[in-house]
Amino acid sequence: MRKVLGALARHPSGRIGLVIISVYLIVAILGALSLTPHNPLKLFAIDRLKGPSATYWFGTDLLGRDTLSRLMVGIRQSLIIAFAAVAIATVVGTIIGLLSAWWGGLWDGLFMRIMDILLAFPAILLALLIIAIVGPGTFTSVFAIALVYIPIFARVVRGPALSLKNRDFVDAARTFGSSQPYILSRHLLLNLVAPLAVQVTLALAWALLTEAGLSFLGLGTQPPTPSLGVMLAESKNLMQQAPWLMIFPAVTIMLGILGFNLTGDALRDILDPRTQRRAV
């Protein structure tokens, strides 16, 4: 882990991505601890639609709420949903991919056809379908986003696992009587850490975008809880009168996606021997 982090710090894209993600995490922690400049939910009618100033660095919204404070809490909310959804997708998708490759035959065909059906739906439409059935909310967003990315992780794991299960070291483990869970976890899964790490960072970027899109449509995080997508939705009718209400959340979403994408690209260069380049 220390070697990977050191390589990321030396990689041009990785360095920028780590800085952005670190800032995001720090801001999210401050928002979780309520260490915001102002109460993000308190209304100050006298200060409504004030531009950026020394008192309100990012201005205020239509109800007089501090935009910076709401952004800090919104980043926390978006990261919680993104990390929870990707964690669920990683665990479930990895298990499906490993078992599909290991068992093969009928089980492999059954698992992969289910994954193909899920992949046939556009990601945002599948998430909208799940939310339309279950109802909007934070937990529904986590479940919907996770369901979208489970087939991707299953595919990422299954391909290399099919190759690894026929390697000599796996045959040796079978010969020595190693159990199936031991072989899957110690011999297959450990050799899949590199592609999984890259896919996790890229999935986090798309999960942030999906969460913002769902919240923008009113199907994700529900007001008055601050969310980057909710803030964009609330600002769409005030673009000319108060452009900062749209600019700051949009830039925040863009930077978050950029940070995870840059980190994922750097990890791919560092961990994949076929595309590895010396970091400068």
Side-chain angles (χ1 to χ4, degrees):
M1 181 62 69
R2 288 195 297 268
K3 290 181 179 179
V4 172
L5 289 177
L8 275 175
R10 294 189 298 271
H11 194 284
S13 298
R15 189 183 306 122
I16 299 173
L18 282 178
V19 170
I20 295 175
I21 293 174
S22 298
V23 172
Y24 251 64
L25 292 176
I26 292 172
V27 172
I29 292 172
L30 292 176
L33 297 175
S34 299
L35 298 177
T36 55
H38 302 274
N39 188 332
L41 300 178
K42 191 171 183 180
L43 310 181
F44 296 95
I46 194 173
D47 293 329
R48 59 193 300 270
L49 295 181
K50 284 196 171 183
S53 63
T55 304
Y56 301 107
W57 290 5
F58 287 4
T60 61
D61 64 7
L62 186 62
L63 300 176
R65 296 171 296 189
D66 179 42
T67 302
L68 175 58
S69 300
R70 291 177 62 77
L71 273 179
M72 295 174 68
V73 179
I75 290 174
R76 180 209 64 185
Q77 180 74 6
S78 296
L79 287 181
I80 288 175
I81 293 176
F83 275 106
V86 172
I88 294 172
T90 303
V91 172
V92 177
T94 299
I95 292 174
I96 292 174
L98 281 176
L99 294 180
S100 179
W102 184 257
W103 290 342
L106 177 63
W107 288 108
D108 183 29
L110 176 62
F111 285 147
M112 288 302 103
R113 297 300 75 76
I114 295 175
M115 297 300 102
D116 288 341
I117 292 173
L118 293 177
L119 285 172
F121 289 90
I124 191 66
L125 291 182
L126 180 59
L128 289 174
L129 175 63
I130 299 301
I131 292 176
I133 296 173
V134 181
T138 299
F139 293 105
T140 307
S141 297
V142 171
F143 175 74
I145 296 173
L147 187 62
V148 167
Y149 292 104
I150 284 174
I152 298 175
F153 281 97
R155 286 290 186 182
V156 168
V157 170
R158 176 183 173 271
L162 283 173
S163 174
L164 288 171
K165 78 172 188 176
N166 296 318
R167 300 286 292 273
D168 292 339
F169 61 86
V170 175
D171 292 335
R174 287 198 189 102
T175 303
F176 283 107
S178 298
S179 64
Q180 177 177 302
Y182 182 87
I183 296 174
L184 290 176
S185 60
R186 297 298 298 273
H187 294 285
L188 294 187
L189 185 58
L190 287 181
N191 284 285
L192 298 172
V193 170
L196 276 175
V198 175
Q199 187 59 47
V200 164
T201 54
L202 298 178
L204 283 170
W206 283 105
L208 279 176
L209 181 61
T210 304
E211 189 280 330
L214 293 175
S215 297
F216 180 83
L217 295 174
L219 301 174
T221 302
Q222 298 297 299
T225 303
S227 170
L228 300 179
V230 170
M231 294 178 68
L232 280 176
E234 293 174 345
S235 67
K236 64 180 182 294
N237 295 324
L238 300 168
M239 292 178 58
Q240 295 183 345
Q241 187 177 359
W244 61 86
L245 294 178
M246 177 166 285
I247 292 173
F248 290 121
V251 171
T252 301
I253 295 171
M254 182 271 293
L255 287 176
I257 296 171
L258 178 65
F260 284 113
N261 277 333
L262 290 176
T263 304
D265 290 341
L267 279 175
R268 182 181 56 198
D269 292 341
I270 294 167
L271 298 176
D272 190 348
R274 295 172 299 179
T275 60
Q276 188 175 19
R277 297 195 297 265
R278 182 176 295 276
V280 295

